[in-house]
């Protein structure tokens, strides 16, 4: 045990909230002036914490406003048990192990502080705080004025009286915590910002620590995580759903967001220092960008496709890529069904005429979907769901896919693209965006179709030759078209949309919104971060599009080594030889490979040397190595 003392504040540091503020909220519950009084108390708390008024003034004025009873303190304690700061919960083992050298020094009150900190392993005799004064009916009437902490510079006076023999590190969120450093009683002051950030406090800090993990990391102390998550930078592009942003912030990561897409040059600069990248379909993650990605560990595609990502280079660099293969399927299918009905009924044309003041109540060129033949080019997740709904509407479904797929319901599998095109009244594209599919659909394919066909592309813009589609519409070969994707799409909402399809009759143009429903985006915003966080925190690669899939058990009382290497013979033997040489016991070992890389995971006991770890890293075929604990 080192001879260093850790002075930790309680309110908004050990817990997420200010105890006295919450006591007022509980005591005044249901009162007509609850909101007003609680607001006044919170304001006084902030003024005291920022050093705008003296602490003793803030305390006395808050107590005057407080109308509480001992029974309310019991309720507060129950509440505070649920409000312990996340990083303190994670590092309870540190609190227990170093309890002799951890002092809670607070302007709060022992009555609610002691039950919380002792439940986390700290010692009651090391808690220094104020105490309430009660009347005969257990109502709070004041503060014990003989306690030095009730007065101005109380923490400084208290710490001075303790005469601690050793280094002293102060951790807190308020100006009174900084005063310990200013007085010379603390060697360093760490501004704790996990729950609240006060500029006047952080400006005077030796270090700003967004979590207890960061403090422990800086001081090489035992911690629950191998790395402070505040040091992990997350970059989220293209306006991903807020639930995704919150998921990463909850974990304590440093999150930066960007509303639009980024071009290669901009992303090449922005990617530096980023460990987790989230993007959608408009941002291209190229080899050039990846060459600048000095810390990138994993990528999340907040969409179905991953054609915008250089998967080969990601794999070679040991970067795991995840996507959301199912989350927006229903939304795309519903848009396709809606557009199909509008186009067959010629509703879009009628609506434009009405807006122009023209009333045309004829049935010309307006048909039911029932009995029509729906041709699907691509029979993946979207194609199969569209098949089911189309059939439920009374349509005959035909499909073609380069991969052998089993038909669902009464859908008919065709042997060639031509067979589907010649029979279909409606043709809907649902193929992926790989480079080989560029302009796969052109003049020849449109000529194969029936006259007056309805054509829809909700797949990828580059799979259809736009000039060929324009010609087919103008000639009448295509009676109506629904297009949601384009070879070039604006990177932001402020950029104008230019395309030859603009202004053509019975053509529905939508700005790549197939998956843009609240439900789909929230689903993607939940699903993708789950996969990324599983990989970051646990090493699991379930759902990865470029890594061998490994579902790992939770890490318990051991350290986990994650070794990504070139898939060549003999790697596992090399690793195991190093383990044997250093007499390291393997608690659990997992290995999966694909044609390019191998991924081996080893859970080991905590007794190992730096030399052992370095030898694992130095294996020639190593691509990437990580440790978790």
């Amino acid at each position: 045990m080192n001879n260093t003392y850790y002075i930790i504040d309680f309110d908004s540091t050990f817990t997420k909230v200010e105890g006295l503020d919450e006591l007022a909220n509980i005591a005044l519950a249901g009162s007509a002036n609850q909101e007003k009084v609680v607001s006044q108390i919170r304001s006084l708390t902030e003024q005291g914490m920022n050093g705008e008024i003296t602490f003793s003034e803030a305390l006395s004025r808050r107590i005057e406003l407080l109308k509480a009873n001992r029974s309310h303190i019991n309720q507060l304690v129950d509440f505070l048990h649920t409000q312990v700061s996340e990083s303190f919960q994670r590092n309870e083992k540190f609190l227990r192990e170093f309890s002799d050298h951890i002092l809670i020094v607070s302007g709060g009150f022992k009555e609610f502080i002691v039950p919380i900190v002792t439940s986390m392993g700290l010692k009651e005799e090391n808690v220094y705080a104020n105490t309430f004064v009660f009347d005969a009916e257990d109502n709070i009437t004041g503060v014990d004025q003989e306690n030095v902490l009730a007065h101005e510079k109380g923490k400084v006076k208290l710490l001075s009286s303790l005469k601690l023999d050793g280094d002293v590190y102060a951790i807190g969120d308020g100006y009174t915590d900084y005063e310990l450093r200013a007085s010379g009683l603390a060697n360093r002051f760490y501004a704790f910002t996990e729950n609240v950030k006060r500029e006047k406090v952080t400006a005077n800090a030796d270090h700003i620590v967004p979590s207890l993990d960061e403090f422990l990391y800086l001081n090489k102390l035992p911690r629950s995580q191998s790395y402070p998550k505040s040091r992990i930078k997350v970059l989220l592009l293209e306006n991903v759903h807020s639930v995704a942003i919150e998921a990463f912030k909850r974990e304590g990561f440093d999150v930066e967001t960007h509303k639009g897409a980024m071009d290669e040059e901009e992303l090449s600069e922005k990617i530096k220092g980023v460990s987790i990248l989230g993007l959608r379909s408009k941002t291209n993650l190229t080899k050039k960008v990846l060459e600048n990605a000095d810390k990138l560990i994993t990528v999340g595609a907040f969409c179905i496709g991953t054609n915008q990502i250089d998967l080969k280079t990601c794999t070679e660099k040991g970067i795991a890529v995840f996507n959301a293969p199912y989350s927006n399927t229903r939304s795309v299918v519903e848009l396709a069904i809606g557009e199909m009905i509008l186009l067959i009924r010629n509703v879009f044309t009628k609506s434009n005429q009405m807006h122009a003041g023209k009333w045309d109540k004829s049935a010309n060129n307006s048909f039911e979907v029932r009995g029509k033949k729906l041709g699907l080019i691509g029979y993946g997740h979207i194609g199969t769901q569209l098949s089911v709904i189309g059939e439920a509407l009374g349509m005959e479904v035909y499909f073609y896919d380069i991969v052998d797929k089993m038909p669902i319901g009464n859908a008919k599998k065709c042997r060639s693209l031509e067979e589907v095109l010649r029979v279909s009244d409606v043709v809907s594209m649902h193929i992926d965006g790989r480079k080989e599919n560029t302009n796969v659909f052109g003049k020849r394919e449109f000529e194969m179709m029936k006259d007056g066909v309805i054509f829809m592309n909700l797949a990828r813009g580059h799979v259809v030759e736009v000039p060929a589609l324009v010609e087919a519409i103008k000639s009448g070969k295509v009676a109506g078209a629904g297009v949601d994707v384009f070879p070039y799409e604006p990177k932001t909402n402020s950029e104008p949309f230019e395309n030859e399809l603009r202004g053509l009759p019975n053509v529905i143009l939508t700005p790549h919104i197939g998956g843009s429903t609240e439900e789909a985006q929230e689903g993607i915003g939940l699903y993708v971060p789950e996969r990324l966080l599983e990989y970051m925190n646990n090493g699991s690669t379930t759902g990865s599009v470029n890594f061998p899939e490994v579902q790992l058990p939770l890490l318990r009382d051991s350290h986990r080594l994650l070794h990504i290497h070139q898939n060549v013979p003999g790697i596992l033997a090399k690793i195991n030889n190093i383990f044997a040489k250093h007499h390291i016991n393997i608690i659990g070992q997992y290995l999966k490979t694909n044609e390019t890389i191998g991924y081996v995971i080893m859970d080991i006991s905590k007794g190992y040397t730096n030399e052992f770890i370095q030898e694992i890293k130095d294996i020639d075929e190593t691509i990437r190595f990580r440790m978790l604990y």
Side-chain angles (χ1 to χ4, degrees), residues 408-425:
I408 293 177
N410 296 312
K412 298 174 181 65
K413 179 169 61 177
C414 297
R415 291 168 295 179
S416 67
L417 176 63
E418 182 178 355
E419 186 180 344
V420 177
L421 299 182
R422 294 205 182 281
V423 73
S424 300
D425 301 301

Side-chain angles (χ1 to χ4, degrees), residues 200-463:
K200 189 172 181 179
V201 178
T202 57
N204 289 290
D206 294 294
H207 296 280
I208 299 171
V209 289
S211 66
L212 184 59
D213 307 290
E214 178 77 9
F215 171 80
L216 300 177
Y217 177 82
L218 289 171
N219 291 287
K220 297 180 171 57
L221 292 164
R223 56 194 183 274
S224 66
Q225 298 177 341
S226 49
Y227 54 88
K229 291 184 178 176
S230 56
R231 290 177 172 257
I232 298 295
K233 186 172 181 180
V234 181
L235 177 61
L236 301 176
L237 307 179
E238 302 186 66
N239 205 27
V240 302
H241 199 279
S242 59
V243 295
I245 299 169
E246 288 306 310
F248 291 114
K249 285 186 175 179
R250 251 192 330 270
E251 287 282 321
F253 292 128
D254 176 14
V255 182
E256 181 181 346
T257 61
H258 193 276
K259 284 188 176 181
M262 287 188 182
D263 60 27
E264 188 176 61
E265 290 301 319
E266 187 178 9
L267 188 55
S268 292
E269 188 61 33
K270 272 287 187 181
I271 200 72
K272 294 173 184 176
V274 170
S275 296
I276 303 173
L277 174 67
L279 48 77
R280 293 172 72 182
S281 57
K282 292 181 184 177
T283 300
N284 290 314
L285 185 57
T286 64
K287 184 171 185 176
K288 179 181 176 180
V289 174
L290 289 166
E291 285 170 354
N292 287 277
D294 52 343
K295 292 189 177 180
L296 193 60
I297 296 173
T298 185
V299 176
F302 285 72
C303 52
I304 293 176
T306 55
N307 303 100
Q308 73 279 33
I309 299 170
D310 184 340
L311 293 177
K312 181 176 181 290
T313 302
C314 282
T315 305
E316 290 171 352
K317 292 175 72 69
I319 299 166
V321 179
F322 300 83
N323 68 336
Y326 315 110
S327 300
N328 67 1
T329 300
R330 179 69 185 193
S331 296
V332 176
V333 169
E334 287 190 4
L335 181 63
I337 291 290
E339 289 193 354
M340 179 177 68
I341 293 173
L342 290 173
L343 291 166
I344 291 176
R345 289 293 301 271
N346 205 22
V347 170
F348 194 60
T349 301
K350 300 284 188 186
S351 176
N352 286 340
Q353 290 174 339
M354 291 287 285
H355 280 287
K358 182 178 180 181
W359 182 274
D360 178 11
K361 196 178 178 299
S362 69
N364 294 338
N365 298 316
S366 181
F367 306 94
E368 292 182 353
V369 297
R370 181 176 52 178
K372 300 298 183 293
K373 295 178 175 64
L374 171 60
L376 302 173
I377 313 304
Y379 202 62
H381 302 303
I382 293 172
T384 51
Q385 274 211 28
L386 187 54
S387 170
V388 171
I389 297 177
E391 199 171 312
L393 290 170
M395 304 183 80
E396 292 181 36
V397 178
Y398 298 80
F399 72 89
Y400 172 71
D401 198 301
I402 58 172
V403 177
D404 188 28
K405 298 287 183 70
M406 185 176 71
I408 293 177
N410 296 312
K412 298 174 181 65
K413 179 169 61 177
C414 297
R415 291 168 295 179
S416 67
L417 176 63
E418 182 178 355
E419 186 180 344
V420 177
L421 299 182
R422 294 205 182 281
V423 73
S424 300
D425 301 301
V426 179
V427 174
S428 192
M429 302 289 293
H430 300 289
I431 63 177
D432 63 48
R434 71 186 72 179
K435 287 183 179 178
E436 295 80 1
N437 285 336
T438 300
N439 291 335
V440 73
F441 218 86
K443 182 176 181 180
R444 174 177 172 273
E445 285 69 32
F446 284 112
E447 288 176 348
M448 293 179 186
M449 297 184 195
K450 289 182 176 181
D451 291 340
V453 70
I454 298 297
F455 178 78
M456 300 191 301
N457 182 17
L458 285 82
R460 286 289 183 268
H462 64 261
V463 304

Side-chain angles (χ1 to χ4, degrees), residues 10-13 15-19 22 79-80 83 85 195:
F10 182 77
D11 296 298
S12 293
T13 297
T15 59
K16 304 173 188 177
V17 295
E18 294 285 331
E22 299 303 328
F79 174 69
L80 291 179
Q83 296 298 307
S85 296
N195 305 307

Side-chain angles (χ1 to χ4, degrees), residues 74-86:
N74 296 333
Q75 293 178 55
L76 175 63
V77 169
D78 289 341
F79 174 69
L80 291 179
H81 275 300
T82 70
Q83 296 298 307
V84 175
S85 296
E86 302 290 344

Side-chain angles (χ1 to χ4, degrees), residues 17 23 34 47 117 154 183 203 228 263 272 306 390 392 464 507 567 585:
V17 295
L23 180 59
Q34 176 188 12
Q47 291 176 60
V117 301
S183 68
D263 60 27
K272 294 173 184 176
T306 55
V464 175
V507 174
N567 185 14
N585 183 48

